[in-house]
Amino acid sequence: MRVIGITNQKGGVGKTTTAINLGATLAAMEYKVLIIDLDPQGNASTGLGVDSTDRELTTYDLLLEGAALRDVVVPTDVANLAIAPATTDLSSTDVELSSRDNRIFLLKEALHQSDKLYDIVLIDCPPSLSLLTVNALVAADSVLVPLQAEFFALEGLSQLMLTIRDIRETANPSIRIEGVVLTMHDPRNNLSRQVEEDARKTLGQLVFKTRIPRNVRLGEAPSFALPVIAYDPTSKGSHAYIDLAQELIARQTSQKEPV
Ligand code: ADP
Ligand code: MG
């Protein structure tokens, strides 16, 4: 089982879109995939058709109430793809957990129960470096960082890298960077090109060759509760996530990052 945290403390950079579409594409490649929705906004849950009324047990119960993973997970309409849904309940976790000694290990402990059931677990993180994200980083084997081409993108990234270094020095020595994926990329846009050039210069091999283009189909698909490979399989967005999934699988898992 590979546990991959999809993390960037900035909102709107494509974390949830990547969790849903990378998850669905890997599921189509016959991997058994679980998405853990760790964002109180629950966008991954909604985008995969799990209505808020159907979220009986959620990742809140998993982390704070000791619910079993198998009781929280629900199937999706996509074969091989399941999700542990989230609701706004999760937004109070930082406060509620502040006095618990094991508060950064809760997700890791919850995932231990799932051994062998899933090949790949993708954690859709909230847009912050809160306790929820720390739980994801402690539980994860690696981190996948969606990077939107915009002016402060790389500054935000160095803050994230520092957090990952802290986690590596303390609670999760083996965590590595799976890679940085450029999202909402537009090759005609100067800033997009500049951010890509800077990212590749600074991070080298860590940046996935695959870029996710800005594509309206990717934006539309969640409102139909579908991943893009089901909503519009021939779209550029669909092809990009298939490429990303293939690149992810092909990468050397032993690769160590320089930062
Ligand atoms: P995050 O989870 O990081 O906050 P989202 O994945 O929710 O970001 O994306 C933010 C918004 O941008 C959403 O409305 C989403 O549908 C849209 N979006 C994400 N990626 C793309 C893309 N490649 N092309 C077009 N729209 C996108
Ligand atoms: Mg999100």
Side-chain angles (χ1 to χ4, degrees), residues 6 10-17 19 37 39 41-44 124-127:
I6 301 181
K10 285 202 63 132
V13 298
K15 289 182 292 297
T16 300
T17 303
D37 191 348
D39 186 344
Q41 296 182 73
N43 293 338
D124 186 23
C125 289

Side-chain angles (χ1 to χ4, degrees), residues 1-5 36 107 111 114 119-123 136 139-143 178:
M1 188 170 84
R2 271 166 91 172
V3 181
I4 304 175
I36 306 265
L107 183 60
L111 284 180
S114 72
D119 301 311
I120 298 170
V121 177
L122 301 176
I123 309 170
D141 298 309
S142 64
V143 189
E178 190 72 53

Side-chain angles (χ1 to χ4, degrees), residues 6-222:
I6 301 181
T7 314
N8 187 323
Q9 72 274 28
K10 285 202 63 132
V13 298
K15 289 182 292 297
T16 300
T17 303
T18 298
I20 291 175
N21 292 298
L22 183 61
T25 309
L26 290 165
M29 293 162 74
E30 312 249 305
Y31 292 97
K32 290 196 169 45
V33 182
L34 171 66
I35 293 176
I36 306 265
D37 191 348
L38 219 56
D39 186 344
Q41 296 182 73
N43 293 338
S45 311
T46 312
L48 283 169
V50 183
D51 287 337
S52 48
T53 47
D54 294 334
R55 296 173 210 167
E56 238 167 75
L57 288 175
T58 66
T59 47
Y60 175 89
D61 302 290
L62 185 71
L63 295 183
L64 283 99
E65 303 288 340
L69 185 69
R70 64 176 175 281
D71 295 332
V72 173
V73 169
V74 290
T76 70
D77 289 340
V78 181
N80 298 324
L81 181 64
I83 184 164
T87 57
T88 49
D89 289 351
L90 254 193
S91 54
S92 61
T93 42
D94 273 56
V95 180
E96 289 189 44
L97 289 175
S98 60
S99 61
R100 285 207 210 170
D101 284 344
N102 65 341
R103 62 184 174 276
I104 67 170
F105 296 99
L106 295 168
L107 183 60
K108 187 185 172 80
E109 285 163 13
L111 284 180
H112 271 160
Q113 312 162 359
S114 72
D115 264 343
K116 302 199 177 81
L117 269 183
Y118 303 100
D119 301 311
I120 298 170
V121 177
L122 301 176
I123 309 170
D124 186 23
C125 289
S128 68
L129 292 171
S130 66
L131 199 46
L132 288 169
T133 297
V134 171
N135 262 276
L137 295 176
V138 171
D141 298 309
S142 64
V143 189
L144 193 160
V145 184
L147 188 76
Q148 190 189 351
E150 54 180 8
F151 191 58
F152 288 117
L154 289 168
E155 277 81 352
L157 193 62
S158 43
Q159 200 189 342
L160 175 60
M161 295 299 177
L162 286 175
T163 305
I164 294 169
R165 207 175 66 187
D166 279 353
I167 300 280
R168 184 183 297 122
E169 284 167 2
T170 53
N172 187 1
S174 60
I175 190 172
R176 45 185 198 82
I177 314 281
E178 190 72 53
V180 171
V181 59
L182 297 159
T183 56
M184 293 179 245
H185 185 79
D186 177 359
R188 291 161 305 180
N189 179 309
N190 281 336
L191 188 57
S192 255
R193 285 206 307 268
Q194 189 63 50
V195 170
E196 174 170 14
E197 208 182 296
D198 290 351
R200 292 198 190 279
K201 207 161 30 179
T202 331
L203 301 163
Q205 298 293 315
L206 278 186
V207 183
F208 283 95
K209 290 195 185 72
T210 306
R211 299 172 301 203
I212 307 298
R214 189 173 279 287
N215 176 245
V216 277
R217 304 311 243 174
L218 281 170
E220 290 167 357

